[in-house]
Amino acid sequence: MNPRYLLLALVLILGVAPLLLPPYYVTLLNYIGLYTLVVLGLVLLTGVGGMTSFGQAAFVGLGAYTTAYLTTAEQLPAWLAWAGASPWLTLVVGIALTALVAMVLGAMTLKLSGHYLPLGTIAWGLSLYYLFGTLESLGGHTGVSGLPSISVFGYALDKGEKIYYLIWVVLALAMLITRNLLDSREGRAIRALKGGQVMAESMGVNTFRSKMVIFVISAVFAALSGWLYAHTQRFVNPTPFGLNMGIDYLFMALIGGVGSVWGALLGAGILTMLKQWLQDLLPHLLGNNGNYEAIVFGVLIVLLMQRAPGGLWPMLVRLMPQRYRSRKTLPPEAADSPALARRQLPEHGQLILQARNVTRRFGGLVANNDMNLEVHAGEILALIGPNGAGKSTMFNQLSGVDTPTSGDVLFMGQKINGTTSRKVAALGMSRTFQHVKLLPTMSVLENVAIGAHLRGSKGVVAAALHLDRQEECRLLNEARHQLQRVGLGEFLYEEAGSLALGQQRILEIARALCADPCLLLLDEPAAGLRLKEKEALGILLSRLRSEGMAILLVEHDMDFVMGLVDRVVVMEFGQRIAQGLPEEVQKDPVVLEAYLGGAE
Ligand code: ADP
Ligand code: MG
């Protein structure tokens, strides 16, 4: 069966469910829908973005209390009076308020790393929770009652089986938006947050902005759920917005499979049903005198996490036959899409990169000591030297990944030390990494498309509404073109992590080329390549040079270097010990001494 039919069947079942099921089950389904909406935000934030939040329940509360206050207050401040007229207006206020609060909290917490971020979310989660219980205008711990029901075109959704449809339509839209967003230029940037931030910044992605985007979206989804909840219950009090619920939301995400949109639905469904069944069943089995369900529930969660650490959805997908698994492929019309605009390359021989007296200390260790080098348009310069000489450190100074302790780096006439690697990328420098940095579960094509980030401009809203398709075709087409150029054309849809290490290095070159650079920095590109692959790489680099590109490379393989490059700079102990034409450098006694370790 085609997955589309499965989807259609699901929609049909959900469509008739409230007509056939007893009210108790409709209520349960309402809860599942409301929870899934929150968990969907966590899929984005935690599963995709790698940021754990215990505080989502507080955002649910923010959405719920905003509408509760505005629709029931006897006297609203004059400037807000318009909002009390309809729940739809309070929704607008709730979303705006939540987005604002999320931006402030995000600015404070998203820069935290490691376990400080989850701890931060606990802190503001608790603060908001206590705020709801403390403010007298919000009814303290007794809460607010008497909320009106939501009306759609004059039709009041005043019963569980009526608001059911609104909940599930909103959820379906949120799922669609999330999927669209992840399948886009911004989505690739978001997916790179988990484990690829240095790489993404080097490709021009503003990672902090991407984090903020998913933080705000996940908060808005939660607030939307809170708004629906408030008008389903017609009553709110602080209890469902506390830390306990924040933890439950995380459990739902983990159980379902934190990386997938469908995992959110599965997780919320299973956890809700499980809790209900345990509550109904256990008192019969164990007698009425204990709160056993919490204990049994905890044990089940631990077992589940052990058996399926990635969640249940990925397990289900693995059980499906290969051909049903959807894989992102290039749309057929993409081949005809116009090529992306190219950068004007500097004139042949023009000085484009200059390091002046660059020194980088790590504590007492001087990894780069008073280094000078120059790269001109249309030349290949090799930076060589024994292991630990400071070559990779130098690359980091040149590309904005790191900042020199002293000295200057000029690129295209601009001082770039102290700026970000993102800005350096925008000026036309693109790099690969000695230790390959790619997203192993993403396809080869999409990995390479990250390189073209700065050549697109469509943002989050366009992506969510699928208004970015033309540009997306052009970006992916460019990625395909570069992959074919480097000889990886037959692996477009493979997972990047499944390639051999040498091929992963070549993939990084394709990704760097996607940025349309005027200077390419390659850190040991030939390491791990077979002879034939090395030859092909040499031919590719020569061709790029003849097109006017400048290339700076670090390489150990002297045969490869000497036959290819125009000039060589030799480093030892962080210093430049020689430079010149390959044949000169090869004969230089200082260089021989460095390489042979002083053997006479
Ligand atoms: P190469 O690439 O030439 O093999 P590196 O630039 O990687 O050399 O390293 C040069 C020296 O700087 C080494 O001694 C290495 O241990 C040290 N080094 C590199 N990065 C760091 C860092 N982030 N902190 C401390 N020491 C570092
Ligand atoms: Mg190195």
Side-chain angles (χ1 to χ4, degrees), residues 313-335:
W313 181 254
M315 252 168 96
L316 279 184
V317 172
R318 247 174 278 135
L319 291 178
M320 272 203 272
Q322 188 86 29
R323 67 202 141 101
Y324 294 152
R325 296 186 209 165
S326 60
R327 190 156 266 171
K328 163 110 183 159
T329 54
L330 200 62
E333 70 274 17

Side-chain angles (χ1 to χ4, degrees), residues 18 23 26-27 30 148-150 155-167 228 231-234:
V26 176
T27 306
N30 280 346
S149 53
I150 300 171
Y155 181 73
L157 306 177
D158 51 4
K159 291 215 175 77
E161 62 269 25
K162 292 184 186 163
I163 201 161
Y164 168 95
Y165 288 103
L166 182 62
I167 291 174
L228 285 164
H231 292 283
T232 307
Q233 295 284 357
R234 318 271 292 271

Side-chain angles (χ1 to χ4, degrees), residues 387-441:
N387 258 330
K391 306 178 297 289
S392 294
T393 306
M394 191 66 201
F395 257 41
N396 288 342
Q397 313 309 311
L398 296 175
S399 61
V401 168
D402 197 9
T403 308
T405 316
S406 65
D408 283 330
V409 179
L410 288 124
F411 178 54
M412 300 303 285
Q414 294 191 33
K415 200 174 117 173
I416 56 166
N417 40 308
T419 57
T420 56
S421 54
R422 190 166 77 232
K423 298 215 178 96
V424 176
L427 287 173
M429 189 190 302
S430 199
R431 65 168 296 179
T432 65
F433 295 87
Q434 177 176 0
H435 303 287
V436 174
K437 292 189 197 295
L438 41 73
L439 303 166
T441 56

Side-chain angles (χ1 to χ4, degrees), residues 532-553:
K532 275 248 174 321
E533 292 170 326
K534 270 186 203 171
E535 282 169 12
L537 178 63
I539 293 170
L540 173 72
L541 297 185
S542 305
R543 208 169 59 219
L544 291 171
R545 166 175 54 189
S546 69
E547 289 170 15
M549 196 173 303
I551 300 171
L552 173 59
L553 59 87

Side-chain angles (χ1 to χ4, degrees), residues 8 64 72 98 169 208 234 254 265 277 307 329 353 377 400 408 438 442 453 466 494 527 531 534 549 589:
L8 194 67
T72 60
T98 306
V169 166
F208 180 72
R234 318 271 292 271
L254 289 171
L265 182 58
W277 279 329
R307 291 288 140 132
T329 54
L353 179 72
D408 283 330
L438 41 73
M442 216 195 240
H453 187 81
H466 245 208
E494 305 291 322
L531 190 61
K534 270 186 203 171
M549 196 173 303

Side-chain angles (χ1 to χ4, degrees), residues 250-330:
L250 258 186
F251 274 147
M252 291 179 199
L254 289 171
I255 290 172
V258 78
S260 62
V261 170
W262 289 107
L265 182 58
L266 193 68
I270 289 181
L271 200 118
T272 311
M273 300 306 282
L274 195 67
K275 274 203 155 169
Q276 284 302 321
W277 279 329
L278 287 179
Q279 259 170 25
D280 294 346
L281 200 68
L282 285 184
H284 289 299
L285 292 179
L286 302 171
N288 252 338
N289 47 5
N291 205 355
Y292 292 109
E293 72 264 11
I295 301 168
V296 176
F297 179 74
V299 172
L300 281 178
I301 296 265
V302 172
L303 282 179
L304 210 73
M305 294 280 103
Q306 269 190 335
R307 291 288 140 132
L312 291 175
W313 181 254
M315 252 168 96
L316 279 184
V317 172
R318 247 174 278 135
L319 291 178
M320 272 203 272
Q322 188 86 29
R323 67 202 141 101
Y324 294 152
R325 296 186 209 165
S326 60
R327 190 156 266 171
K328 163 110 183 159
T329 54
L330 200 62

